[in-house]
Amino acid sequence: MEPDFRRAMGWLHTWAGVLLGSVLFAIFWMGTLSVFDIEIDQWMKPATRLPPAAQTLALERFRPSLNEAIAARAAFWNVEPPNDRQSVASVHYRTKTGFVSHDIDPVSGRTLPDAGTLGASGFIFPFHYSLHLRVMNLGTWLVGLASMAMLVLCVSGVIIHRKIFAEFFTFRPSKKPRRLLLDLHNLSGVLGLPFHIMLTFSGLVILGATFFPASINALYPNPRGYFYEANGLSFLNVKPGQPGAPVVSLDETFARAQTVWGNGRPETVLVATPGTTTGRIAFFRDRTQQVVMDRDVVAFSSTTGELVSHPPAPRAIIRTQRFLSGLHLIHFHHWVLRWLYFMLGLGSCILIASGFLFWQASRRTKQANTFGFRLVEGLSAGSITGIMLATLAFFISNRLLPPDAHGFGMGRAALEIGCFYLVWVGTFLHGWLRPRRVWIEQSAAISAFAALAALLNWITTGDHPLHSLANRYLWPVAGMDMLLLVGSALAFLTARKLARKQPGKAVGKTV
C-alpha cells in the first residue's frame, strides 16, 4: 500500500507542477521583486531620489492637492508622508475619470515631475496577486488555484522523498545535469519549505473573501462589512453627504489624533469624500515596527473635526488575519528580514525552474518529438527565462522612453507595459521555434539586458553605482544596479557553461 500511495503522490506532484508551474513561477518571481517594490520605484522614478527631509512637512502644505480633489469631486484623497523606505511624500485621489497620483518634495512641498510609469508598486506588485487579468477576477482565481497547487506540491514532495533531510545535505554539482537538477530541486525545496507553506497559506487567507465568500457571509450581513472591519475602515459606513462643506485643518486634526494615540506618527492620512457634509479625516498609525497590520485608525468629521471613530481591539479572527497579512506583505520595516524574504523568494523560483527542467530531462529521450513535450518545452522557456527578459525589458524601456512618450494610442506607462508583454510573448515563440538553442540564447539575452539596464541608469541619471553607494539616500538605486550587474554576470556564466557543455547540440540535453 505504501509504495502505491507514494507513487500516486509522485504522479500528483509531477502533474500539478507541470500544469501550473508557469503560473507559479510568474507569481513567485513578481512576488520576490515586490519585496523591494518601493526601492525599484525609486530606480524607475529618478525625480524621487531625494535626501530625507530634516523635518516633517506640515500636513496643511498638501492643501492645494486636497483642493484639487475636492474640485474634481474625488471619492477620496490621501497622503503618505515620507518614511525610512521612501524620502518623498505621495498624494493620491480617485475621480470619475481615473486615479491621480503625485510625488511631493518633502522639503519644498512642490509637485515632482510625473515619471510616466506605474513602477514596481503599480505593475509588478499587482501582477503578483492578479496577473493583471481583471475580467471576472480571472487572474485572482488563477493565483488561488496555483496557490492550492503549491500547497499540494509541498505536501506531496515531503511524502515522495523518504530521505528528505539527507537530501538537504546532498548537492553534487559535478554529476550529470539530470542528477544536478534533482539535487538543486530537493535542496531549494527543503531549505525553503516553511517559507513556501507560510507564504502560500497566508496569500490564500488574504484573498479568502474572494475564494471562500460563504465564510464571510456567515459572519457579516454583506462583504463590505468584513472589508471595513478587516481594514479599519468602519468610519466609511455613512450615507453620502452634500457637497460644498469645508475641510478643517489637517494639522489641528492630527494633533487630536496624537492625543488619542498617546504618541505616534501617521502612515497614511485619508480624507474620504472630501468637501461633503459627511466627509471623514482618518489617520492610520504607523505600525511598521511590528508584524501585525494593526491599523489603529482614528477618524474625525472633516467639517467639524469631531472624533467619530476609534475602533476597539479587533476580534481574534481579524487579528489573525492581520498577522498573516503582515507576514505575507512584509508590512514591517526590517532590512535583514526583507533580504531574507528576497533570497527565499529566489529559492522558490529555483525550485519551480529546476522541477520544470528535471521533468524535461527525464523524458527527452523518449518524448522529444511529441506535441505535449514540445508544448511544455516552450512554456518552460517563456515562463522562466522569458519573464526575466520581459521584466528587464520593462526596466530598459523605463530608461529609454522620453517623459512625454506616446504611441499606438498609449501613454508612456502603457508603452512600458506593452514592451513587457511584447518581449514575454516573443520568448514563448522563441522557445517553440528554437528549442535547441533557447536556454543559451535567452540566458545570454538576460545577461545583456541586465547590464544594459544598469548602464542606461548611469547614462540617463548620472547615478552610477559608486556615486550611489557614496550617498546613503541612493542606496536603493545602488542595490538595484548591483543586483542587475550580478544577475548579468550569473546569466553570462550560465550561457557560457551551457554552450561549452555540448556546443551545437540540443541545449535541452544539457539540462
Side-chain angles (χ1 to χ4, degrees):
M1 180 65 70
E2 183 180 347
D4 291 338
F5 177 69
R6 185 172 288 109
R7 190 177 301 111
M9 288 295 100
W11 180 91
L12 180 63
H13 188 85
T14 297
W15 290 106
V18 170
L19 294 177
L20 290 167
S22 296
V23 179
L24 278 172
F25 192 93
I27 294 170
F28 274 95
W29 171 251
M30 291 304 200
T32 301
L33 296 181
S34 296
V35 171
F36 291 112
D37 57 346
I38 294 178
E39 289 72 24
I40 297 176
D41 282 349
Q42 191 169 344
W43 188 91
M44 299 184 73
K45 301 177 180 180
T48 65
R49 303 176 188 179
L50 301 175
Q55 294 183 342
T56 304
L57 198 66
L59 293 175
E60 275 301 303
R61 293 291 297 275
F62 302 105
R63 176 70 65 164
S65 174
L66 176 58
N67 291 336
E68 291 177 6
I70 294 173
R73 298 199 173 186
F76 73 88
W77 173 91
N78 76 284
V79 56
E80 297 174 4
N83 54 48
D84 61 339
R85 292 189 64 197
Q86 63 177 21
S87 58
V88 299
S90 300
V91 296
H92 317 274
Y93 58 90
R94 182 183 295 279
T95 67
K96 293 181 179 179
T97 58
F99 189 75
V100 180
S101 179
H102 297 298
D103 294 316
I104 307 294
D105 186 327
V107 176
S108 66
R110 67 182 178 88
T111 300
L112 298 175
D114 183 11
T117 180
L118 294 180
S121 57
F123 176 70
I124 291 177
F125 175 59
F127 193 106
H128 166 63
Y129 62 84
S130 71
L131 306 178
H132 287 295
L133 298 175
R134 298 184 176 89
V135 179
M136 299 176 62
N137 272 346
L138 178 60
T140 304
W141 280 99
L142 277 175
V143 169
L145 179 63
S147 299
M148 291 298 295
M150 187 65 183
L151 290 178
V152 169
L153 289 168
C154 290
V155 174
S156 59
V158 171
I159 293 173
I160 62 180
H161 293 287
R162 289 175 294 180
K163 301 178 180 179
I164 188 169
F165 291 106
E167 290 170 344
F168 173 72
F169 298 99
T170 304
F171 182 61
R172 293 157 287 189
S174 59
K175 293 290 185 179
K176 292 183 179 180
R178 181 176 168 183
R179 183 73 255 179
L180 170 61
L181 284 170
L182 185 58
D183 286 348
L184 192 60
H185 186 70
N186 294 336
L187 180 62
S188 57
V190 176
L191 182 63
L193 184 61
F195 176 81
H196 306 322
I197 296 176
M198 179 269 289
L199 262 290
T200 305
F201 177 73
S202 59
L204 287 170
V205 170
I206 291 172
L207 300 175
T210 300
F211 304 140
F212 310 109
S215 61
I216 304 301
N217 296 333
L219 296 174
Y220 296 89
N222 55 68
R224 181 176 293 180
Y226 163 76
F227 178 77
Y228 282 165
E229 183 175 352
N231 294 280
L233 301 175
S234 57
F235 62 88
L236 293 177
N237 194 19
V238 294
K239 295 181 180 179
Q242 298 299 317
V247 177
V248 297
S249 169
L250 298 177
D251 290 310
E252 292 179 5
T253 312
F254 174 53
R256 298 191 187 103
Q258 285 186 308
T259 302
V260 176
W261 285 337
N263 194 8
R265 61 182 298 274
E267 182 179 12
T268 302
V269 180
L270 171 70
V271 182
T273 59
T276 67
T277 53
T278 56
R280 297 288 185 262
I281 302 177
F283 297 90
F284 295 72
R285 192 173 185 176
D286 186 353
R287 291 294 201 181
T288 53
Q289 302 305 313
Q290 63 182 37
V291 176
V292 180
M293 293 183 67
D294 184 3
R295 301 289 186 175
D296 195 5
V297 184
V298 182
F300 302 85
S301 167
S302 64
T303 58
T304 66
E306 178 187 359
L307 176 67
V308 296
S309 174
H310 185 215
R315 290 182 284 180
I317 187 65
I318 294 297
R319 189 163 178 82
T320 301
Q321 189 266 356
R322 291 180 179 179
F323 171 77
L324 292 172
S325 297
L327 203 62
H328 187 99
L329 299 173
I330 326 178
H331 178 67
F332 49 91
H333 289 190
H334 191 293
W335 289 109
V336 175
L337 289 178
R338 192 168 292 276
W339 275 106
L340 180 62
Y341 268 61
F342 182 78
M343 298 306 297
L344 288 172
L346 289 179
S348 302
C349 295
I350 293 173
L351 172 71
I352 299 167
S354 57
F356 246 141
L357 296 177
F358 178 76
W359 184 90
Q360 293 179 54
S362 61
R363 288 162 175 78
R364 187 174 299 279
T365 302
K366 296 181 179 180
Q367 303 178 15
N369 295 321
T370 64
F371 172 78
F373 184 89
R374 292 293 306 279
L375 177 65
V376 174
E377 191 173 42
L379 283 174
S380 62
S383 303
I384 300 170
T385 50
I387 197 170
M388 296 180 188
L389 276 170
T391 306
L392 290 170
F394 179 61
F395 295 148
I396 290 172
S397 63
N398 172 264
R399 296 289 81 232
L400 284 178
L401 290 172
D404 56 348
H406 283 81
F408 308 101
M410 299 184 295
R412 190 182 188 281
L415 288 173
E416 287 183 3
I417 297 172
C419 289
F420 172 90
Y421 285 112
L422 182 64
V423 172
W424 198 16
V425 171
T427 59
F428 284 104
L429 296 176
H430 180 239
W432 286 314
L433 296 175
R434 291 179 61 81
R436 295 171 61 87
R437 302 283 296 176
V438 62
W439 297 105
I440 295 175
E441 292 172 353
Q442 290 199 11
S443 295
I446 289 173
S447 177
F449 275 34
L452 179 60
L455 179 62
L456 287 173
N457 177 56
W458 180 3
I459 294 174
T460 57
T461 68
D463 292 333
H464 56 81
L466 293 179
H467 174 258
S468 300
L469 287 171
N471 295 274
R472 186 181 180 85
Y473 71 94
L474 290 176
W475 281 3
V477 180
M480 177 73 170
D481 282 339
M482 296 303 293
L483 284 176
L484 286 170
L485 294 174
V486 169
S488 174
L490 291 175
F492 174 78
L493 293 175
T494 300
R496 185 177 181 184
K497 186 172 183 179
L498 290 174
R500 282 184 170 183
K501 185 152 284 195
Q502 286 194 2
K505 297 185 180 181
V507 65
K509 295 181 181 179
T510 70
V511 297

